[in-house]
Amino acid sequence: QMKTRMVEAAATKTLMLLFKDPFKVVEKWFEPDKHFIYWETYEDLHAKLSDITTNYEKYWHIVENAHAHVQQYSIEKVLVTGASGFVGQNLMNRLNHMKKEVPFTLLGPSHLELDLTIDWDVGSYFNQYKPDIVLHLAGRVGGIGINKAKPAEFFYENLMMGAHVMHHAWKNGTEKVVALAAGCGYPKYLQPPYKESDFWSALPDENSIGYSMAKKNLIIQSWTYREQYGFNSVILLPANLYGPY
């Protein structure tokens, strides 16, 4: 039982550390040069961690060897934008659970506390709190009707949110930004199954083009900030979302 608890704690800590630098963590933990275990993608690592927690005897020698390495890393502050939204509420629940194993300060300001469309507000907030990790989930969202009626508002507000968050994260020394773009950014007439290489091949559906193009700009900003500043960011494309809240 003690070993099981230690492995579960180790797996939880590793998932938290993935927000920092997944490849560094994998190398530190599983030492591919010693022919232990190595996974190239988050999905592979997540699946293997699940296997570890249920079949700990098979992997105990690896976890025992790696356990000391986890103590080298620490995350002090994690900022979640859009913390009161659908994805945000679910993620906040998960992060609050993870805090029991990896203590850190969790920031989830409301829109009244932080207006992401205002550059001064975002700059002041980042300068005050200086988060280590930013999980950018906030956005102006709505159905097809409101997207068609107000495409400019959806474009402007989502564009400003993403630009301000990424820029001030970089300026204030944030270690990593993980942001959600939108699956609706894929071309309108693209036939399934979708491939990532098709993402930029044509324009998305015009009914939500303001929203989807603003979210696609997160990827451009991520590329350019990595190229010029070496800033670490990842933009995720959820295929679909469902669940509580």
Side-chain angles (χ1 to χ4, degrees):
Q1 288 181 347
M2 181 185 71
K3 285 186 176 182
T4 301
R5 286 196 298 271
M6 288 184 69
V7 173
E8 289 174 347
T12 301
K13 288 178 181 179
T14 301
L15 289 173
M16 189 66 226
L17 289 166
L18 282 169
F19 291 129
K20 262 189 153 179
D21 190 337
F23 297 104
K24 179 194 295 183
V25 172
V26 171
E27 290 171 5
K28 281 285 185 182
W29 265 63
F30 299 106
E31 301 184 52
D33 58 309
K34 293 187 178 180
H35 308 290
F36 282 159
I37 299 176
Y38 181 69
W39 302 282
E40 295 185 351
T41 67
Y42 172 86
E43 289 79 11
D44 291 342
L45 180 55
H46 188 278
K48 188 56 67 176
L49 286 171
S50 298
D51 187 33
I52 288 173
T53 60
T54 55
N55 302 286
Y56 68 87
E57 291 291 353
K58 182 169 60 173
Y59 297 102
W60 178 246
H61 66 288
I62 300 175
V63 176
E64 192 173 42
N65 175 67
H67 189 71
H69 291 299
V70 168
Q71 311 306 322
Q72 300 177 21
Y73 302 96
S74 64
I75 295 173
E76 295 182 0
K77 296 178 183 177
V78 175
L79 168 62
V80 179
T81 69
S84 62
F86 166 51
V87 180
Q89 288 187 64
N90 284 282
L91 182 59
M92 291 292 284
N93 287 343
R94 177 61 178 159
L95 291 174
N96 276 309
H97 176 73
M98 294 174 76
K99 285 172 60 179
K100 299 174 184 177
E101 297 292 344
V102 186
F104 59 92
T105 299
L106 183 56
L107 306 170
S110 67
H111 176 71
L112 293 177
E113 295 173 293
L114 174 60
D115 188 339
L116 297 174
T117 66
I118 300 175
D119 182 66
W120 188 90
D121 277 11
V122 181
S124 296
Y125 189 92
F126 272 81
N127 185 59
Q128 178 180 352
Y129 292 101
K130 296 190 181 300
D132 300 296
I133 304 297
V134 175
L135 308 176
H136 177 48
L137 312 178
R140 170 79 183 274
V141 297
I144 293 296
I146 190 68
N147 266 275
K148 289 178 66 176
K150 299 183 177 182
E153 291 182 21
F154 275 81
F155 178 75
Y156 176 80
E157 292 183 25
N158 285 291
L159 183 68
M160 290 299 100
M161 290 182 201
H164 293 156
V165 167
M166 183 87 70
H167 184 69
H168 288 289
W170 162 70
K171 285 187 68 175
N172 287 275
T174 295
E175 295 186 29
K176 187 170 188 178
V177 170
V178 179
L180 281 188
C184 60
Y186 276 95
K188 178 178 181 178
Y189 296 108
L190 189 63
Q191 295 298 310
Y194 294 175
K195 300 191 298 291
E196 288 187 11
S197 57
D198 294 324
F199 191 64
W200 299 96
S201 62
L203 289 173
D205 191 298
E206 66 276 5
N207 289 315
S208 59
I209 195 167
Y211 172 81
S212 57
M213 290 303 290
K215 288 295 187 178
K216 290 183 80 160
N217 270 281
L218 281 168
I219 300 173
I220 301 296
Q221 190 174 15
S222 177
W223 288 343
T224 56
Y225 275 57
R226 184 180 297 274
E227 176 68 23
Q228 184 171 345
Y229 305 128
F231 185 66
N232 191 10
S233 62
V234 172
I235 313 302
L236 305 178
L237 287 174
N240 205 347
L241 297 171
Y242 60 92
Y245 308 111

